[in-house]
Amino acid sequence: MLQKIEPLAHLLLTPSQIGDLLGLSGEDVAELQNPYKEAGKMYRRVLAERALELHEKTLRLADIGSPTAIDEANQWLRTAQISIE
């Protein structure tokens, strides 16, 4: 199951969206939402990796932009961290 879920998590889909696409039971979706279950740990790890990737890309763009863009990128990362936690 995790092999099918991981690519969808990379697309930043929610557990409910992943469950709908794969036809998962409510129990399986609950495991994705639970940070202590294996599926939940994998889901959060993937989200954290994607958030970091997107943040780094934003910072690279900000390097050629303004200081305001860097502030916005840092604010976005803080928001992403809160939602992952």
Side-chain angles (χ1 to χ4, degrees), residues 1 4-26 28-33 43 47:
M1 176 174 81
K4 292 180 181 179
I5 293 171
E6 189 167 353
L8 296 174
H10 275 282
L11 297 174
L12 301 177
L13 297 177
T14 66
S16 297
Q17 291 170 322
I18 292 171
D20 289 344
L21 286 171
L22 297 178
L24 300 177
S25 69
D28 290 334
V29 172
E31 282 191 25
L32 272 177
Q33 295 169 331
Y43 180 73
L47 287 184

Side-chain angles (χ1 to χ4, degrees), residues 28-42:
D28 290 334
V29 172
E31 282 191 25
L32 272 177
Q33 295 169 331
N34 186 337
Y36 302 105
K37 297 285 188 176
E38 184 179 352
K41 289 178 186 178
M42 180 275 306

Side-chain angles (χ1 to χ4, degrees), residues 11-81:
L11 297 174
L12 301 177
L13 297 177
T14 66
S16 297
Q17 291 170 322
I18 292 171
D20 289 344
L21 286 171
L22 297 178
L24 300 177
S25 69
E27 187 176 302
D28 290 334
V29 172
E31 282 191 25
L32 272 177
Q33 295 169 331
N34 186 337
Y36 302 105
K37 297 285 188 176
E38 184 179 352
K41 289 178 186 178
M42 180 275 306
Y43 180 73
R44 280 171 175 65
R45 179 186 50 79
V46 169
L47 287 184
E49 289 170 1
R50 285 291 289 147
L52 182 60
E53 288 171 21
L54 292 171
H55 181 64
E56 288 171 349
K57 288 178 182 178
T58 304
L59 286 177
R60 280 195 293 273
L61 289 172
D63 282 343
I64 58 173
S66 67
T68 305
I70 294 172
D71 291 339
E72 289 298 319
N74 286 328
Q75 180 60 35
W76 181 88
L77 180 61
R78 283 190 284 281
T79 304
Q81 286 175 317

